Amino acid sequence: MIEIVEAQRHFQVGDQIVHALNGLSLEVAAGEYVSIMGPSGSGKSTLLNVIGLLDRLSAGTYRLRGEDVTRLPDPVLAALRRQTIGFVFQFFHLIPRLSAAENIELPLTLAGIPAEERSRRVEQVLTAYGLTDRARHRPDQLSGGQRQRVAIARATVTQPQVLLADEPTGNLDRHAGREVMELLEHLHRGGLTLLLVTHDPELAARANRRIYLVDGKIERDEHRRRV
Amino acid sequence: MIEIVEAQRHFQVGDQIVHALNGLSLEVAAGEYVSIMGPSGSGKSTLLNVIGLLDRLSAGTYRLRGEDVTRLPDPVLAALRRQTIGFVFQFFHLIPRLSAAENIELPLTLAGIPAEERSRRVEQVLTAYGLTDRARHRPDQLSGGQRQRVAIARATVTQPQVLLADEPTGNLDRHAGREVMELLEHLHRGGLTLLLVTHDPELAARANRRIYLVDGKIERDEHRRRV
Ligand SMILES: Nc1ncnc2c1ncn2[C@@H]1O[C@H](COP(=O)(O)OP(=O)(O)OP(=O)(O)O)[C@@H](O)[C@H]1O
Ligand SMILES: Nc1ncnc2c1ncn2[C@@H]1O[C@H](COP(=O)(O)OP(=O)(O)OP(=O)(O)O)[C@@H](O)[C@H]1O
Ligand SMILES: [Mg+2]
Ligand SMILES: [Mg+2]
């Protein structure tokens, strides 16, 4: 599903070069459930952005479902991303002028889903994430955890093949965080490939496979043993 | 230091009224170390914003150091806030066009601190929070946890009397989170009044006093017993 070989991604700030990804190789099969941990600044968001076709590598290769996407033109990447990937951003990136429900509906509209089906799906995720009585609120009228849940609802409503979640419970209390994880794991059991960046070791432990990043490389890659 | 009596804060969205604070009373003495937990949407950020003079009550009273501040005019509140309070926002509110160092320096400039002293203090917090080689980066060139640390550095660099921190470790790995807590607790031992909103029960347990919010009210208020 996801195959990254010798990835490099550097950024330049003034005369300083930051090697955010520094020789990272990773294979993820369809349907896997992977958690990604590592120190602040170790490259987790950068890795997720590359996988999610939101950023390009400086060097190395990225194959998505067998197709080399490393140097595809932007419009092609955008179309591929919309069809395949759901992304929960570390800082949500909700559209300020749209309500929670409109934010969630937007990717469905862009995908050409008809109005009745859109409406059904939006209702369903609003209920699932406990947002029904916040549907009309704009992001600035929501609490931090409510915004986070809107971001997660938006990422899952298109029924993507791959879900990339960058710290999806960072602003949620223990109870809401667990509810979110159960919803995502339910989708995973239905076939979703799930990659989750988290700083919470208890959450990371729920995945079948745990990856640790340090300084833009994979330091450790643990698979849970089946008994 | 902080005295809130029968606080009400409601918001109106269309014809819906949200009671974010709903009869909340709280007293915090100078030098206390208090953690605040509660479900997503229970009113924690709203409470912190009211205490931090960033928001006003709809009803009830707020006394800060014995002075009734409930209905002070905006410019007076702003001056009082700058002199007394450091605020770490749940979503940082860094200034996009300024570098990390400039963001941290800004409150010192507004306070009329001379250039040499500003420069010394900025250097000191950059080092303390592990940001020295990110000083020139703008917020969009920083990782989530690096931005969070810039927000904390900015809130502490003015040496405030009260620090209000809204989930200050939500984007930090365990190690960086612990380092931040040690720095804040060091300031507390020096006399700082410290109020910390967190979803992490282990962090909340470090405080001398633990408050639990539910539906805009204080449900529980536990003081650690001295042995
Ligand atoms: N646009 C950019 N320009 C310059 N440097 C960048 C840029 N984006 C990220 N970086 C740097 O690249 C490194 C990796 O960033 P990244 O956001 O991937 O870290 P992270 O592992 O997600 O950290 P966190 O846990 O704090 O969110 C960081 O040191 C960061 O300063
Ligand atoms: N500007 C606003 N307009 C309307 N409703 C608001 C506004 N700000 C907050 N609210 C509502 O008030 C309630 C309390 O919000 P608050 O941000 O204080 O919650 P919180 O406890 O900080 O939650 P979280 O843990 O998710 O950050 C929420 O239900 C939220 O939807
Ligand atoms: Mg990140
Ligand atoms: Mg909040």
Side-chain angles (χ1 to χ4, degrees), chain A residues 13 16 18 39-41 90-92 133-134 137 141 143-147 149 167 170-174 199 201, chain B residues 13 16 18 39-41 90-92 133-134 137 141 143-147 149 167 171-174 199 201:
Chain A
V13 179
Q16 181 194 8
V18 178
S40 173
Q90 191 167 0
F91 299 110
F92 321 151
D133 47 359
R134 292 290 179 273
H137 287 228
Q141 297 170 320
S143 80
Q146 290 165 349
R147 284 178 216 171
R149 281 177 274 155
E167 316 224 20
N171 286 284
L172 297 177
D173 59 272
R174 188 156 266 196
H199 281 310
Chain B
V13 179
Q16 180 193 11
V18 178
S40 172
Q90 190 168 359
F91 299 110
F92 319 153
D133 47 359
R134 292 290 179 275
H137 288 228
Q141 296 170 319
S143 81
Q146 289 163 351
R147 284 178 217 171
R149 280 177 274 157
E167 315 223 20
N171 286 283
L172 298 177
D173 58 274
R174 190 155 265 201
H199 281 308

Side-chain angles (χ1 to χ4, degrees), chain B residues 7 32 56 90 188 204 213:
Chain B
E32 282 204 71
R56 292 175 184 280
Q90 190 168 359
H188 166 250
L213 248 66

Side-chain angles (χ1 to χ4, degrees), chain A residues 37-89:
Chain A
M37 291 186 85
S40 173
S42 56
K44 306 178 296 297
S45 296
T46 303
L47 174 60
L48 233 58
N49 288 339
V50 166
I51 294 173
L53 306 175
L54 293 160
D55 193 15
R56 292 176 183 279
L57 294 177
S58 315
T61 321
Y62 174 23
R63 276 188 209 90
L64 178 61
R65 286 184 304 188
E67 176 184 10
D68 188 329
V69 296
T70 321
R71 268 168 283 281
L72 287 183
D74 284 352
V76 182
L77 281 186
L80 183 53
R81 179 170 67 244
R82 262 187 213 145
Q83 295 158 19
T84 319
I85 295 169
F87 207 117
V88 185
F89 297 93

